[in-house]
Amino acid sequence: MKKDLLYEGKAKKVFTTQQPDQLILSYKNDATAFNGKKKAIFEGKGRYNNLISAELFQHLAAKGVPSHFIRAINETEQLVERTTIIPIEVVVRNLATGSIVKRLGFKEKTPFSPPLIEFFYKEDALDDPLINEQHALLLTDAAENELEQIKSYALKVNDVLKTFFATIGLNLVDFKLEFGRKQTGELVLADEISPDTCRLWDVDSGARMDKDVFRQGTGDLMIVYDHILQRLEAAK
Ligand code: TMP
């Protein structure tokens, strides 16, 4: 089924398949933070992120948010539709934490209502800088109506996932999305949605249940990811 390695990123490998419009994403056990400056390998991480991301994309599809996801093909790999990724990291924030606290001085846990959307230019050499919409139009081939569509999907994803995570005792604090264009030109959600790309706080204890455990070195990341998968599976 897998043909050639098309691309290797920090957390996934991308393979071509016999079908020109389908790719295989293979989730790695590597974890990085601070634009690759902190690195580690966690046995089982690829499996957790593959299975968690699959659950979340399926839930989003059922709620009318289209993505590149087709199906998980094994524990660490998923089949997706081929897209051309728009090099913008779209961050949605419900509460202030992380880079926005450092960058702009918001007090920790300041609520954002409506949720705050930020665009970052996906360019490792520049450390993924924050950009505005005019920058996005100049730096990428995204059109104005596509940026509008991206913002509208981002808010829909937030509504759907915030509600869903609340049912399993998790507060969706913020997350990062990427979008891609299918061969047909259709804009869809792409990449992954996992505890690597979301901040999830336990509703009861406030415990961090995401990659911040690795970024801040505060505990065992795989125990945390296992809890997330178990809660998702129990909710099925
Ligand atoms: P930030 O507070 O560091 O800007 O992160 C915002 C959200 O985006 C958080 O849920 C983590 C996620 N994120 C990624 O998925 N990839 C990244 O490279 C960064 C910097 C953040």
Side-chain angles (χ1 to χ4, degrees):
M1 193 122 186
K2 266 192 316 217
K3 262 175 75 186
D4 304 312
L5 178 67
L6 186 66
Y7 173 78
E8 177 161 3
K10 286 183 284 217
K12 295 186 288 299
K13 288 181 185 170
V14 183
F15 293 91
T16 57
T17 67
Q18 317 301 333
Q19 303 275 33
D21 55 350
Q22 296 184 352
L23 299 173
I24 289 174
L25 297 190
S26 181
Y27 283 71
K28 308 199 297 186
N29 287 336
D30 303 53
T32 65
F34 314 116
N35 195 17
K37 290 190 234 350
K38 181 172 180 176
K39 285 185 196 163
I41 294 174
F42 293 97
E43 202 54 51
K45 178 170 165 290
R47 172 176 172 270
Y48 287 124
N49 280 350
N50 179 46
L51 300 179
I52 293 168
S53 203
E55 281 300 321
L56 297 177
F57 279 133
Q58 277 165 48
H59 184 69
L60 285 165
K63 299 286 180 185
V65 182
S67 79
H68 69 164
F69 179 78
I70 301 173
R71 64 176 180 276
I73 50 179
N74 60 44
E75 298 251 289
T76 57
E77 295 178 321
Q78 51 188 249
L79 188 67
V80 302
E81 290 188 59
R82 187 178 195 133
T83 64
T84 307
I85 296 287
I86 296 169
I88 302 173
E89 300 203 339
V90 181
V91 169
V92 181
R93 299 181 191 270
N94 294 302
L95 290 179
T97 194
S99 73
I100 198 160
V101 170
K102 292 207 192 82
R103 237 183 311 116
L104 298 176
F106 282 102
K107 206 166 158 291
E108 268 296 322
K109 300 185 191 174
T110 304
F112 296 124
S113 183
L116 180 67
I117 301 180
E118 292 182 325
F119 288 168
F120 294 84
Y121 182 38
K122 198 172 144 68
E123 177 57 63
D124 280 343
L126 299 173
D127 264 353
D128 298 349
L130 177 76
I131 57 170
N132 68 25
E133 284 183 50
Q134 283 175 293
H135 295 138
L137 291 171
L138 291 165
L139 289 166
T140 76
D141 65 352
E144 221 162 323
N145 68 311
E146 287 181 313
L147 295 185
E148 289 308 314
Q149 219 183 338
I150 284 173
K151 288 190 289 178
S152 147
Y153 276 143
L155 291 177
K156 176 89 190 271
V157 170
N158 187 50
D159 279 346
V160 170
L161 292 188
K162 207 167 163 346
T163 305
F164 183 55
F165 279 122
T167 67
I168 56 169
L170 294 169
N171 186 7
L172 178 62
V173 171
D174 59 32
F175 57 93
K176 184 267 298 179
L177 301 175
E178 291 180 29
F179 292 84
R181 223 178 274 114
K182 296 206 289 193
Q183 253 82 322
T184 56
E186 191 195 347
L187 185 84
V188 294
L189 194 54
D191 194 51
E192 69 180 278
I193 308 180
S194 73
D196 269 20
T197 64
C198 298
R199 283 196 176 94
L200 298 163
W201 294 355
D202 184 76
V203 171
D204 293 331
S205 68
R208 274 50 178 169
M209 304 282 288
D210 55 62
K211 202 169 98 174
D212 270 352
V213 168
F214 167 67
R215 293 191 189 95
Q216 299 167 357
T218 50
D220 186 328
L221 194 69
M222 290 307 91
I223 291 181
V224 164
Y225 283 28
D226 191 60
H227 278 301
I228 307 269
L229 182 61
Q230 280 185 33
R231 289 192 201 186
L232 284 176
E233 293 196 329
K236 274 208 258 182

